[in-house]
Amino acid sequence: HSIFKPVVSAIMECFRPGAVVMQCGADSLSGDRLGVFNLSFKGHAECVKFVRSFNIPMLVLGGGGYTLRNVPRCWTYETGILIGEEIDDMLPYNDYFDYFGPDYRLHLPLTNIDNSNSKKYLEDTTRHIVGLIRGLEGVPGTEICTGQPGTKQVPPSFMEIDDDEDDEDDMSNSKDDEDEREVQNGKLSFQEENNNS
């Protein structure tokens, strides 16, 4: 709760997405063969529930999870969360029932993995991440500028042209004009010269 919710809230506030694609890898669950986290199914699903609370369309995907008996339990529980249905902890009899023994329950006990992160470290890290997100330019849209052909090399928001709008047609794209640019306050701008023509 103390990390996921503030970070996701900041993301939603900054970008105000029209939809969310959420990948719910199960490798962060307690008892995963490769993961070193200790999340319960309920804690994992709380993340899904929180994103769902923003009432925007979601595409929820599976992924990850290396303790095979835990993955279907997780996705079953989270599917119930997504459709608003409470799922009984006792698993119903099915062709794979024996696979989920000896307890035959949806929810499993947590393992006793010590959390090596101090509360202060987690709070400081969360505060830092939220600060970085709030420093991003979000809504109304974030352009993708990779520097590859077909995209703009430098985002227009980084360029500040000091010429009047009337003089826009007079600007040339020559190398000399590009050399006149300088960085001021983190933005590229053209240096104005006393040009009365």
Side-chain angles (χ1 to χ4, degrees):
H1 297 289
S2 63
I3 298 171
F4 186 85
K5 289 182 177 182
V7 169
V8 170
S9 293
I11 289 168
M12 299 300 257
E13 181 182 319
C14 179
F15 295 105
R16 292 186 222 154
V20 171
V21 176
M22 187 171 190
Q23 192 267 335
C24 296
D27 51 353
S28 57
L29 292 170
S30 177
D32 189 80
R33 298 170 103 185
L34 294 181
V36 294
F37 296 100
N38 198 27
L39 287 177
S40 67
F41 294 124
K42 289 182 179 181
H44 198 271
E46 186 61 33
C47 297
V48 174
K49 190 182 293 185
F50 182 69
V51 174
R52 185 176 182 257
S53 74
F54 288 96
N55 294 319
I56 60 174
M58 294 175 66
L59 175 61
V60 181
L61 310 171
Y66 302 95
T67 301
L68 192 53
R69 287 176 277 224
N70 290 355
V71 175
R73 283 176 161 121
C74 176
W75 294 342
T76 299
Y77 184 67
E78 291 180 0
T79 299
I81 294 292
L82 288 165
I83 64 172
E85 291 290 327
E86 187 70 31
I87 296 179
D88 188 24
D89 189 42
M90 290 302 296
L91 297 176
Y93 184 79
N94 61 70
D95 291 342
Y96 303 97
F97 191 70
D98 290 335
Y99 193 68
F100 296 98
D103 53 6
Y104 307 103
R105 295 188 174 276
L106 183 64
H107 299 280
L108 299 173
L110 297 177
T111 57
N112 292 326
I113 296 175
D114 288 332
N115 186 348
S116 300
N117 300 301
S118 71
K119 186 174 180 179
K120 180 180 179 348
Y121 172 77
L122 294 174
E123 289 171 350
D124 290 347
T125 302
T126 303
R127 194 174 310 109
H128 178 74
I129 292 169
V130 168
L132 290 173
I133 293 166
R134 290 198 172 132
L136 296 173
E137 182 181 342
V139 175
T142 304
E143 237 180 277
I144 298 175
C145 299
T146 64
Q148 300 297 314
T151 66
K152 297 180 181 175
Q153 296 287 329
V154 179
S157 61
F158 291 174
M159 307 251 331
E160 180 179 306
I161 300 174
D162 295 328
D163 294 337
D164 292 331
E165 286 182 23
D166 297 333
D167 295 337
E168 268 186 341
D169 295 333
D170 296 335
M171 290 179 59
S172 73
N173 292 327
S174 71
K175 176 84 171 111
D176 293 334
D177 285 339
E178 289 178 22
D179 291 341
E180 294 293 322
R181 294 180 191 172
E182 70 174 26
V183 178
Q184 295 176 345
N185 298 329
K187 292 186 176 182
L188 287 174
S189 66
F190 287 102
Q191 280 191 344
E192 284 189 25
E193 294 200 18
N194 193 2
N195 185 356
N196 295 328
S197 54

